[in-house]
Amino acid sequence: MPKHDTPLMDELEKGPWPSFVSDLKRQAEKSPQCWDIVGQMELSYKDRMTHWKHGGIVGVFGYGGGIVGRYSDVPDKFPGVAHFHTVRLNQPSSKFYRTDLLRKLCDLWEKRGSGMTNLHGSTGDLILLGTKTEELEPLFYELTHDLEWDLGGSGSNLRTPACCIGKARCEWACYDTQAACYAMTMKYQDEIHRPAFPYKFKFKFSGCANDCVAALARSDLSAIGTWRDNIRIDQAEVKNYLSGANKANGGGTPAKGDKFDIQKEVIDLCPTGCMWMEGDTLKIDDAECTRCMHCLNVMPKALRPGLDQGASLLMGAKAPILDGAQLGTLIVPFIKMDPENEFEELVDVIEKCWDYWMENGKNRERLGETIQRVGLPTFLRVMEIEPIPQHVREPRSNPYVFWREEEVEGGWQRDIKEFRKKHAQ
Amino acid sequence: MATVEHKGKTFNVDEDGFLTKGMEEWSEEWVDYVKSIEGIEELTDEHRKIIDILQDYFKKNGIAPMVRILSKTTGFPLKRIYELFPSGPGKGACKMAGLPKPTGCV
Ligand code: HEM
Ligand code: HEM
Ligand code: SF4
Ligand code: SF4
């Protein structure tokens, strides 16, 4: 496949940031079809529109998802991308790799596809960009048999779960996010590979409220680590921050003034105002602390999460289509996340939710929209969760309150004649 | 647009092998052809039942049924549907029944 004339794309080789165009051209030395990626893209830049056809249904036997089919609408000009299917591979938790595995994968992908990848897709998958239909089964065979690697999810199913780096390299992780992510991925393989839901469903696992995997904003079920006892304070290290021996924010953000000012940078910024100094001793009224992470983020050497750790479960986050964007809504304030019992409490919540949503969710209705349609009180009832003040940011302001008949003395069956005996017309 | 020849019949199909004119062009030869490419060894009454239900549902409602509804009306759990159609209800069964190609964020 020959090179194309690509003046617009060539512009993107300038500047300091790693250029995807230079990378594509380098890969084209080995996989000539990459010239056609650059070529078709140039055409799209010129026409200001995509040159991929609508949709595409391809896959491997046994699975209902994992591969996103795609065809060029100008295949005569760019035969190298006539078929350009994308293969989603379920990434290891937190994306730690060994080079030997990546080398094997690259060799396989250069043999069976374009050699272009996306590391990684937003959901987490390692994405292989661009291959032909007839390569899919052989690729899948070699992936599973030689690399022991499986596809990720696509379609109306459980998509590939993802997690923050967690206990692997972070002192704030309140549960083992990688263990939870891996355990749920393995437990729900069927739900990942064979679409059985009204619509897509995503899990994400963050070890604390910093939420490095953005679970709150981009998963239908977000498990966000927290603790329910007291923040552990090392007063000696607090003094090291006061003296300047410890750098605030791990040195990440320079102190605002010449010197670290605990009053200005921590105490006055605590959202609940539950911190104060007594001499050079830091005090926290933990009953009023909302575990926002700010003070820990500023003084990581002095402050640590409590020891009674677990996670909050928030549900329903989604992008705008159809009824508007949603972040997760707090459903379960605290559960234990225990690998020993295979995350039993989490599994219980997941399965109650799926039982209800699979039966009651409308076609292409995300969980967040189902909750809005049936109402949070109904959803909590089917989840067998007692409503508590933590379920709302503020109580409703309109008086359109529904009561269930059994809650109202006398029920709904009333006789107008009885009423008229007391109220003549 | 490509065409497929099978047992003396010609079918118009898209790149993914779905009938471009849907059930209008659907025939026994089509069923036999899809069987040969979708990993199906022998066509049974269970296959037939799924095809009939998909076609009835599509004729009545203008869309393919949700997986849950297909399971309920056929009485086959999803696992069984994959045993019958290795590519699943969308790529396998809907294709064989002559329904339009599934769309959306697949
Ligand atoms: C016991 C008798 C009545 C009860 C319990 C009652 C109750 C209500 C309620 C619950 C609303 C809705 C408030 C809201 O959510 O915005 C409302 C609105 C209204 N009512 Fe009544 N109402 C009564 C008598 C009357 C009478 C006799 C009139 C007129 C002659 C009237 C005129 C209105 C009007 C105009 C509104 C709309 C106000 C607005 O939208 O700002 N109501 N009423
Ligand atoms: C064919 C005649 C009428 C139609 C189609 C009609 C339609 C409507 C509609 C669609 C609303 C808004 C309801 C909502 O947003 O929840 C409304 C509200 C209202 N209408 Fe009418 N209406 C009619 C006649 C009347 C008459 C004759 C009166 C008074 C004598 C009246 C008084 C009101 C009031 C007070 C409200 C506000 C109620 C509230 O905000 O709670 N309407 N009407
Ligand atoms: S979410 Fe919290 S625990 Fe996870 S990596 Fe980020 S800061 Fe650490
Ligand atoms: S975690 Fe947040 S709310 Fe709790 S004490 Fe620290 S700053 Fe205040």
Side-chain angles (χ1 to χ4, degrees), chain B residues 46-88:
Chain B
E46 289 179 308
H47 289 100
R48 294 278 175 198
K49 188 172 177 186
I50 290 178
I51 294 170
D52 288 349
I53 284 173
L54 283 174
Q55 294 188 334
D56 283 351
Y57 192 95
F58 189 81
K59 278 179 208 155
K60 276 192 203 122
N61 303 290
I63 54 166
M66 290 166 74
V67 169
R68 201 175 63 249
I69 294 170
L70 184 64
S71 277
K72 268 190 188 161
T73 42
T74 54
F76 301 145
L78 189 57
K79 192 167 180 288
R80 184 74 195 133
I81 297 177
Y82 273 89
E83 282 164 8
L84 296 166
F85 294 95
S87 300

Side-chain angles (χ1 to χ4, degrees), chain A residues 375-389:
Chain A
L376 186 60
T378 304
F379 185 66
L380 291 175
R381 198 162 61 247
V382 300
M383 295 293 289
E384 297 170 332
I385 294 169
E386 274 300 308
I388 51 170

Side-chain angles (χ1 to χ4, degrees), chain A residues 185-198:
Chain A
T185 304
M186 297 310 280
K187 183 174 177 65
Y188 296 118
Q189 282 289 297
D190 261 2
E191 285 74 10
I192 290 176
H193 296 307
R194 286 175 276 279
F197 293 165

Side-chain angles (χ1 to χ4, degrees), chain A residues 53-54 56-64 67-68 71 154-155 159 193-196 198 200 357-364, chain B residues 1 15-16 18 37-40 63-64 66-68 72 78-79 82 85-91 95 101-106:
Chain A
K53 284 192 182 180
H54 177 70
I57 294 289
V58 295
V60 294
F61 286 150
Y63 290 3
I67 299 170
V68 181
Y71 303 96
S154 71
R159 300 295 183 88
H193 296 307
R194 286 175 276 279
K200 63 177 86 161
W357 180 61
M358 286 174 72
E359 202 52 46
N360 295 278
K362 295 188 177 181
N363 195 14
R364 299 240 167 117
Chain B
M1 204 96 22
E15 297 89 345
D16 293 318
F18 280 75
I37 56 166
E38 286 296 337
I40 297 161
I63 54 166
M66 290 166 74
V67 169
R68 201 175 63 249
K72 268 190 188 161
L78 189 57
K79 192 167 180 288
Y82 273 89
F85 294 95
S87 300
K91 182 170 172 280
K95 184 188 281 182
K101 179 155 76 181
T103 57
C105 184
V106 289

Side-chain angles (χ1 to χ4, degrees), chain A residues 208-222:
Chain A
C208 77
N210 285 329
D211 195 7
C212 292
V213 75
L216 177 67
R218 39 182 218 144
S219 57
D220 301 79
L221 191 153
S222 331

Side-chain angles (χ1 to χ4, degrees), chain A residues 163-167 169-175 177 205-214 224-225 293 297:
Chain A
C163 59
C164 76
I165 207 160
K167 285 189 187 289
R169 295 199 72 130
C170 180
E171 66 267 48
W172 290 318
C174 291
Y175 70 95
T177 56
F205 301 92
S206 273
C208 77
N210 285 329
D211 195 7
C212 292
V213 75
I224 298 184
M293 292 301 294
N297 288 343

